[in-house]
Amino acid sequence: MLLEALSSAILGLALAWGAYHRLSHRLPQRALVLATGVAGALFGAFVMNTALDAGNLLTMLVGAAIVSTASLSLLLRPAGRLHHSATA
């Protein structure tokens, strides 16, 4: 159990670091991005463990990566300026 939690936390941290490294101009502060990646990965591993009741490390890491990536995508800001119409 500890190995799965530690592995998913490291995976979430690596995903968050990679996202911040490539998209730092579109993301908020680094601490928030790193914390979101780790929390998403831990939550994803928990969901996979609860839903599938499997002790397979690979499936838990896949779930951790999916939820961590989805959580990080919610932090992205638009790349360019948003143009609003004057009539809206």
Side-chain angles (χ1 to χ4, degrees), residues 42-79:
L42 288 173
F43 184 69
F46 171 72
V47 168
M48 289 299 280
N49 188 25
T50 303
L52 298 179
D53 195 29
N56 190 358
L57 181 64
L58 183 62
T59 58
M60 291 181 68
L61 290 178
V62 167
I66 290 171
V67 176
S68 179
T69 304
S71 300
L72 289 170
S73 73
L74 295 175
L75 295 177
L76 284 174
R77 289 180 255 173

Side-chain angles (χ1 to χ4, degrees), residues 26 76-86 88:
R26 293 183 57 195
L76 284 174
R77 289 180 255 173
R81 292 184 165 241
L82 294 176
H83 297 288
H84 296 289
S85 64

